[in-house]
Amino acid sequence: DAEITQSPRHKITETGRQVTLACHQTWNHNNMFWYRQDLGHGLRLIHYSYGVHDTNKGEVSDGYSVSRSNTEDLPLTLESAASSQTSVYFCASSASHGLAGRSYNEQFFGPGTRLTVL
Amino acid sequence: AQKITQTQPGMFVQEKEAVTLDCTYDTSDPSYGLFWYKQPSSGEMIFLIYQGSYDQQNATEGRYSLNFQKARKSANLVISASQLGDSAMYFCAMREASGGSYIPTFGRGTSLIVHP
């Protein structure tokens, strides 16, 4: 079965360190997204990609970067981790078009990565 | 202004009863889609139901239905015959079609607790 995975599931790091969170999907989706989830804020978009070599900033992109070298992976890098980046991070993917018989394309989410920056 | 508003931070319902979770949205785009996701305590986000702005009928998926009132810009989720496993956070999201964007905007969520 197709799936979307994230690693690690839990990470503790120190302020100033570079951290990379992995996201891998086997749906063959063109669209991939990174969100952070914080209490009281819901899901906020960090970066997104509509295909290989395409990356775009979301509403909370400062301090984060992504690269898309293939369809399956969109790693998220925190260049210099800050305590404000302590959060739960979700990766998601979606098809560019609705599946046969449907007019919509929902996002499929990974299980999340809980990141703590000390 | 928020594009998606969920005014109920927390809701309680008795098992087997129906419950409505509110969602209002703000858009000037005539073409848009509305999604509901469930997030149980285990953390994963689960897609529940979709309503397109041009859909004539309210969407239904099993015990989930979407009370879509276009003029009021509301897309409330109705869960019939609540079960203990329905206890979770519920997020409403909207994706506008203009510009070919595939990015939904999420509300802040409603926590639902189902009592036995």
Side-chain angles (χ1 to χ4, degrees), chain A residues 96-117:
Chain A
S96 295
H97 303 285
L99 298 177
R102 286 170 29 180
S103 62
Y104 62 93
N105 46 349
E106 74 271 29
Q107 289 178 312
F108 294 82
F109 284 82
T113 294
R114 185 174 295 275
L115 176 68
T116 302
V117 183

Side-chain angles (χ1 to χ4, degrees), chain A residues 54-77:
Chain A
D54 175 74
T55 61
N56 305 279
K57 294 181 178 181
E59 65 175 301
V60 291
S61 61
D62 287 349
Y64 303 94
S65 63
V66 294
S67 62
R68 186 95 180 265
S69 58
N70 58 50
T71 300
E72 296 80 17
D73 300 289
L74 186 70
L76 177 72
T77 297

